[in-house]
Amino acid sequence: MTRAIGLFLASLFLSTIASSSKMSGVTEARWHALNASVNGRLHIAKPFALPCFSRYDNVSLAVDEQACRAIQANYTSPAFRIESFSANMMVEYETCMSTASGCLLDSTDPQGTLATDGTSCDQGDISPYYIDIGLASDIQTAFQFSKETDVPLSIKNSGHDYLGRTRRRDSLGLWTHNLQEISYHPQFVPEQCGGSHRAITVGAGVTFEQVYAFADENDAMFIGGYAQTIGASGGWMMGGGHGVLSPSFGLGVDRVLEIKIVTPDGMLRTANACQNTDLFWALRGGGGGTFGVVIESTHLVEQRIPIQVINMTFTPTDTNLQEYFEILVNTSAQWGSEGWGGHINHSPPGIIYVNPRLSLDEATASMAQLTAFAKLNNGTSVIETLPSWLPFFTQFIVEVEAPVGSPKVLGSRLMPLALFESVEGRSRLVTHLLNQTAERGLPYIPVTTPIAFNYTPGTTSVTPAWRNSLWNLSNGPVWAYNSSVAEIRATLVSLHDFVHDQLTALAPDSGAYMNEGEIYESNHEFAYWGPNYERLLAVKNKYDPDGLLDCWKCVGWKGATHFPCYLTLA
Ligand SMILES: Cc1cc2nc3c(=O)[nH]c(=O)nc-3n(C[C@H](O)[C@H](O)[C@H](O)COP(=O)(O)OP(=O)(O)OC[C@H]3O[C@@H](n4cnc5c(N)ncnc54)[C@H](O)[C@@H]3O)c2cc1C
Ligand SMILES: *[C@@H]1O[C@H](CO)[C@@H](O)[C@H](O)[C@H]1NC(C)=O
Ligand SMILES: *[C@@H]1O[C@H](CO)[C@@H](O)[C@H](O)[C@H]1NC(C)=O
Ligand SMILES: *[C@@H]1O[C@H](CO)[C@@H](O)[C@H](O)[C@H]1NC(C)=O
Ligand SMILES: *[C@@H]1O[C@H](CO)[C@@H](O)[C@H](O)[C@H]1NC(C)=O
Ligand SMILES: *[C@@H]1O[C@H](CO)[C@@H](O)[C@H](O)[C@H]1NC(C)=O
Ligand SMILES: *[C@@H]1O[C@H](CO)[C@@H](O)[C@H](O)[C@H]1NC(C)=O
Ligand SMILES: *[C@@H]1O[C@H](CO)[C@@H](O)[C@H](O)[C@H]1NC(C)=O
Ligand SMILES: *[C@@H]1O[C@H](CO)[C@@H](O)[C@H](O)[C@H]1NC(C)=O
Ligand SMILES: *[C@@H]1O[C@H](CO)[C@@H](O)[C@H](O)[C@H]1NC(C)=O
């Protein structure tokens, strides 16, 4: 696309949103002034796949063949998507779901022309403007701009959020991906605090794969999650942050020592156990996009140690699934207390668990019944010692990285230890698992709750359900790039009913992980934060007195009417 057409489209675009948003009141001169005060880091955002389309907002333009080929080739690659402000991992959030309008390719055939032929690319839910954040002052400028113009803000880091909280229609986007500093501290002392810790500081844009490699180079282990490209300092850390070593070493919120953040009142603050302690507590579970824009955070790291790994598979049949689920359900409380974490896999059927506490012999004994089951059911069970976290991550996670680029949502529920401890509870779980398998296929179950971690009560704001749960039961339906509003709604209604009638019914007093909740969770305040919600709301109002930040079902959420691209279920 030539520069002239680009500018023409930009002005056309501004005129189309003029009637419907606060952006209409912002003059060209004001945008230029904003750009100047952020050192030229203000950019116009266009849909990720626009280069493949010959129409944008119903206006013809030339296809950019070269750019399109790169997008097609890497359409399902998280590493490619993370470099673009306009790309999400779950692509429905690039679109406007309520009108099914967007600019998507078919992720099952990105080279196919059916998606682009005769279709006009639409801006969807993507902010027309964003700031590529470089300095704390860029954020202060953005808050001031929003206060003066009423233009809403949105914050995007890696774009992994399952509830689309990186997007808000007609907002000014703040992109933290390029905050890439990383440093190692043999003896980190949080400002104004005593005590020293082995720690790593990461800029908001640093990803797990970066921090895992960096920690390993420093003979340390960073305790984080399963996907390479999630940010270690963004929504993951603020919403909870689980990983397969969390049963022993705690959640992301348990391990963060200090956070540097610009709050919406314009202040650059340091939050830790000794200053801005209310904010520190709120940031340890209250969620991203709510209390300010995080610049960097510092996390406790562990010494590199060997870990035991089990990779067990089997061949499911009509007759062996009940025994399999019984072994898992019967033994999970014991496995939890021994420090095992991992995931129960749907493909290939089996489990991958890790343990940083047991010896190889103890690990083998702990898994004896499951290993015997595998051998009798055309399966395998390999238990081995890996030298540290990074080799495990490289062999078991990087190798099987899930493709992204299709529309997908989740619904999940934390399953309390108590269910696993009574005969009746175990029987209900097994019945549920058989039923869920028949209805929706074998489940994928992360086993990542901090069940064997020595938690200091009151230090974090995640729902206390995290502290006494063992499993997270979930379902993650997908739909097609070109599904209609009615088809999308039907998928979302079915998921909502499943989560409400089946998962929540199993554990009504439990909660859910806010980063992996169901979009239409009926009582999200209780599900995500339990008794902590009122206090979180007070902290939100203290640091964001003008309500400049708002996101879907976040603390202080102002309601669905402010988010017109989420469709209504009924
Ligand atoms: C494939 C996949 C695997 C996953 N695996 C795990 C896992 O193993 N463990 C786990 O706990 N979770 C996992 N998640 C969920 C993940 O934790 C959330 O998607 C999380 O929100 C991602 O945070 P982010 O900052 O990288 O992403 P984003 O989607 O960019 O941001 C998430 C939220 O945080 C806000 N935010 C981001 N950066 C900042 C900032 N600097 N300041 C303030 N607010 C900010 C955004 O506004 C948004 O609300 C997974 C998700 C996917 C898609
Ligand atoms: C902001 O300024 C930079 C540098 O001058 C320029 O490259 C960029 O296009 C400008 N952004 C907008 C939205 O005009
Ligand atoms: C593009 O044209 C279609 C069909 O005429 C119309 O429904 C849609 O609103 C138009 N979109 C824009 C952005 O003008
Ligand atoms: C995109 O995909 C092509 C082909 O697979 C690859 O050669 C290229 O390096 C990728 N580009 C980026 C930026 O990842
Ligand atoms: C699981 O435990 C129940 C008792 O709660 C027992 O009846 C059942 O045989 C056990 N299942 C297996 C496979 O060990
Ligand atoms: C045994 O398992 C292998 C894969 O591990 C599978 O291909 C094969 O079909 C299985 N055989 C039976 C009899 O289930
Ligand atoms: C786990 O075991 C299965 C079955 O032997 C094998 O196919 C798979 O590659 C193993 N996974 C890893 C990451 O080694
Ligand atoms: C089993 O699944 C059916 C739907 O196929 C559902 O109606 C029923 O409530 C489920 N039962 C349990 C115990 O979850
Ligand atoms: C819940 O399950 C989903 C889907 O399998 C997974 O992505 C997520 O990490 C899980 N959450 C927790 C809290 O374990
Ligand atoms: C969606 O696209 C596929 C092919 O890409 C096509 O077969 C199907 O008919 C389309 N569905 C709708 C609702 O347009």
Side-chain angles (χ1 to χ4, degrees), residues 29 31 35 39 48 69 77 164 297 396 401 431 515 526 561 563:
W31 288 114
N35 197 9
N39 300 311
F48 178 58
R69 271 195 299 275
S77 155
S297 56
F396 285 86
E401 183 178 38
T431 305
N515 280 337
F526 179 78
T561 52
F563 296 85

Side-chain angles (χ1 to χ4, degrees), residues 162 226 242 408 410-414 443-449 466 471-476 512-513 516:
Y162 274 111
Y226 248 21
H242 64 84
K408 180 181 167 80
L410 267 191
S412 67
R413 192 88 186 159
L414 295 163
Y444 173 90
I445 307 175
V447 181
T448 56
T449 60
W466 270 108
W471 281 8
N472 151 43
L473 286 180
S474 70
N475 191 240
Y513 181 24
E516 288 156 353

